[in-house]
């Protein structure tokens, strides 16, 4: 017989110790992604403005917590209808969600994550629609309880266990990609001297590298008429605190690629479960397209990963062509929108069909 289930919401700020205890209890059952790890969540909660409505939702079976997640709650008007929306581990506010959570999931003692989330969503009477960004684990295909929409995006990766060396990896790439990598290395070293990869070795140096990365990143994107990721004060605050609090635990990697005469650029990566997760970059672009800083920097970072026991080098969600060219596999990350079949849900569904 199935045990009685119930879903409860806690304030993650006022009930912080209880939230941490439940998270720790449930996260022991299965591996979590870096974006669902406590370092990510604790930094996020510490940086969120006080007026943001985020709940910590716990689904119980009997008296035992079985799953948990954070839920941003937002009342928004769309398609002429106002709905109460919940956002899994996000706020639903664009300026705050530019952090771009990936491999998004719930924390669960049960392997049936999708079923756990459905049960919790149905229990949350005030939430009419649930939005889940960039999830690999969760799947709501053929679920008829909701109106469902979805979009997908690849996360290109290099499975490093297939290779013994950087040369071995490069031989697996297309002839044209190998040519461009060789051409770029030769161009940089011919003009500036031998290139090297330097890791930030303490928090102070990591923050200095981040500052230099930010400047290069912003210069590039603003020259293209874009604002750049670091234009957001919240984005900057989050990553400053994440590095301050967790760099010394070995979870974060700041890489500088340079010669004695030239700084090619920087990579900002996360290290989690023997995987390198490439998150951001800042490059010193030159006019001649023989100089391809991304190809060079990522090849040196992949070389480091191969020599330091990493199993995967993950470029994260993107359709960028260079990531596809450097990868040998990909994950599919799906963004789901689940709408309850209420009267308002029916009306919105019909409006979408019409327009």
């Amino acid at each position: 017989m199935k045990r009685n289930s119930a879903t409860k919401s806690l304030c993650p700020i006022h009930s912080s110790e209880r939230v941490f205890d439940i998270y720790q209890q449930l996260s022991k059952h299965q591996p979590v992604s870096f974006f669902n790890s406590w370092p990510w969540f604790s930094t996020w909660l510490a940086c969120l403005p006080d007026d943001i409505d985020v709940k910590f939702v716990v689904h119980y079976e009997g008296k035992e917590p079985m799953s948990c997640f954070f839920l941003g709650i937002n009342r928004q008007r769309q398609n002429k209808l106002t709905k109460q929306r919940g956002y899994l581990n996000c706020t639903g506010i664009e300026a705050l969600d530019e952090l771009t959570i990936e491999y998004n999931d719930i924390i669960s003692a049960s392997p049936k994550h999708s079923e756990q989330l459905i049960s919790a969503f149905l229990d949350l009477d005030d939430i009419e629609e649930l939005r889940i960004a960039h999830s690999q684990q969760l799947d709501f295909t053929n679920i008829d309880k909701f109106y469902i929409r979805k979009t997908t995006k690849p996360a290109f990766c290099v499975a490093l266990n297939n290779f013994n060396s950087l040369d071995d990896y490069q031989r697996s790439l297309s002839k044209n990609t190998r040519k461009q990598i060789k051409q770029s290395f030769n161009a940089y070293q011919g003009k500036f001297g031998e290139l090297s990869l330097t890791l930030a070795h303490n928090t102070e140096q990591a923050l200095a590298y981040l500052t230099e990365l930010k400047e290069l990143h912003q210069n590039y994107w603003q020259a293209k008429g874009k604002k750049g990721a670091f234009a957001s004060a919240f984005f900057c605050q989050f990553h400053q605190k994440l590095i301050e609090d967790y760099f010394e635990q070995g979870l974060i990697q700041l890489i500088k690629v340079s010669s004695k005469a030239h700084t090619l650029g920087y990579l900002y990566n996360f290290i989690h479960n023997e995987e390198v997760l490439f998150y951001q970059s800042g490059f010193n672009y030159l006019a001649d397209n023989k100089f391809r800083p991304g190809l060079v920097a990522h090849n040196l970072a992949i070389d480091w990963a191969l020599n330091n026991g990493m199993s995967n080098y993950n470029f994260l969600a993107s359709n960028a062509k260079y990531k596809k060219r450097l990868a040998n596999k990909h994950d599919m990350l799906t963004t789901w929108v689940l709408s309850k079949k209420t009267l308002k849900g029916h009306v919105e569904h019909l409006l979408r069909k019409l327009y």
Side-chain angles (χ1 to χ4, degrees):
M1 181 180 294
K2 186 175 179 179
R3 292 180 291 174
N4 292 332
S5 65
T7 300
K8 299 179 181 179
S9 298
L10 300 172
C11 171
I13 305 302
H14 296 147
S15 306
S16 57
E17 290 186 10
R18 179 65 177 146
V19 167
F20 177 74
D21 288 344
I22 293 172
Y23 175 92
Q24 289 292 89
Q25 176 185 340
L26 292 174
S27 63
K28 292 176 182 177
H29 292 274
Q30 297 175 56
V32 300
S33 75
F34 182 79
F35 297 94
N36 286 165
S37 68
W38 190 251
W40 181 275
F41 282 144
S42 64
T43 305
W44 180 62
L45 292 171
C47 294
L48 283 177
D50 293 339
D51 59 347
I52 300 302
D53 190 2
V54 171
K55 304 297 184 188
F56 183 68
V57 179
V58 186
H59 186 66
Y60 290 84
E61 290 186 5
K63 295 182 179 180
E64 292 298 317
M66 285 298 293
S67 59
C68 66
F69 53 90
F70 293 96
L71 191 72
I73 300 171
N74 236 314
R75 193 164 185 82
Q76 297 174 337
R77 185 172 178 82
Q78 190 174 21
N79 294 326
K80 301 181 181 180
L81 294 171
T82 300
K83 295 178 75 175
Q84 186 96 325
R85 294 183 169 90
Y87 295 80
L88 183 68
N89 301 321
C90 296
T91 65
I93 299 170
E94 184 177 355
L96 302 180
D97 291 341
E98 288 178 341
L99 298 175
T100 312
I101 192 168
E102 302 191 22
Y103 294 89
N104 197 7
D105 200 358
I106 65 172
I107 312 301
S108 180
S110 164
K112 298 180 179 180
H113 290 208
S114 302
E115 292 181 15
Q116 286 285 314
L117 184 54
I118 288 170
S119 295
F121 179 32
L122 290 172
D123 283 347
L124 297 169
D125 294 333
D126 59 328
I127 305 299
E128 299 167 277
E129 182 176 282
L130 178 62
R131 298 195 171 202
I132 303 148
H134 300 128
S135 178
Q136 182 190 29
Q137 177 80 10
L138 298 170
D139 186 1
F140 305 98
T141 306
N142 299 323
I143 301 295
D144 61 4
K145 292 182 173 70
F146 314 109
Y147 293 116
I148 297 176
R149 307 193 307 276
K150 70 174 184 177
T151 57
T152 59
K153 184 176 285 189
F156 293 108
C157 314
V158 182
L160 299 172
N161 292 334
N162 297 343
F163 310 111
N164 296 317
S165 66
L166 183 63
D167 286 342
D168 195 15
Y169 159 68
Q170 289 178 348
R171 281 193 291 270
S172 73
L173 303 175
S174 71
K175 182 178 179 180
N176 185 54
T177 301
R178 292 198 306 272
K179 179 181 177 181
Q180 289 182 347
I181 292 169
K182 184 177 180 180
Q183 183 184 60
S184 292
F185 270 97
N186 289 341
Y188 276 111
Q189 294 184 150
K191 186 175 179 67
F192 300 112
E194 186 175 354
L195 294 171
S196 63
L197 177 151
T198 306
L199 299 179
H201 63 271
N202 58 35
T203 301
E204 182 180 4
Q205 189 175 34
L207 290 171
Y209 280 12
L210 183 70
T211 298
E212 293 164 22
L213 179 155
K214 172 183 172 180
E215 182 177 356
L216 291 171
H217 177 97
Q218 291 301 108
N219 287 345
Y220 174 77
W221 286 108
Q222 288 174 0
K224 289 180 169 290
K226 307 288 186 180
K227 64 179 183 177
F230 292 92
S232 163
F234 178 76
F235 187 94
C236 294
Q237 178 192 10
F238 175 90
H239 289 292
Q240 174 95 9
K241 183 168 178 56
L242 184 67
I243 292 169
E244 287 174 348
D245 290 352
Y246 292 104
F247 180 82
E248 302 293 343
Q249 294 187 20
L251 305 179
I252 295 162
Q253 184 183 66
L254 270 297
I255 289 174
K256 179 179 182 179
V257 178
S258 63
S259 69
K260 289 183 179 179
H262 179 75
T263 296
L264 182 149
Y266 298 84
L267 299 176
Y268 175 23
N269 301 330
F270 305 131
I271 307 293
H272 185 69
N273 292 339
E274 297 183 351
E275 182 176 34
V276 178
L277 302 160
F278 162 58
Y279 185 76
Q280 267 299 350
S281 63
F283 294 123
N284 189 0
Y285 288 94
L286 303 177
D288 191 334
N289 65 9
K290 289 182 180 179
F291 298 92
R292 298 175 184 267
L295 286 182
V296 171
H298 284 298
N299 269 264
L300 290 175
I302 288 168
D303 187 38
W304 177 91
L306 281 164
N307 291 318
N308 286 273
M310 299 293 113
S311 61
N312 210 42
Y313 190 93
N314 193 329
F315 290 103
L316 297 178
S318 171
N319 288 307
K321 291 181 180 179
Y322 84 90
K323 295 181 178 182
K324 183 176 182 179
R325 289 162 55 202
L326 292 175
N328 58 15
K329 69 170 189 173
H330 69 275
D331 298 328
M332 291 305 300
L333 303 186
T334 303
T335 294
W336 298 90
V337 180
L338 312 182
S339 295
K340 289 178 178 174
K341 290 187 174 180
T342 59
L343 176 59
K344 198 180 293 185
H346 285 301
V347 172
E348 184 180 41
H349 181 66
L350 290 172
L351 287 172
R352 286 187 178 278
K353 282 189 170 183
L354 290 172
Y355 299 105

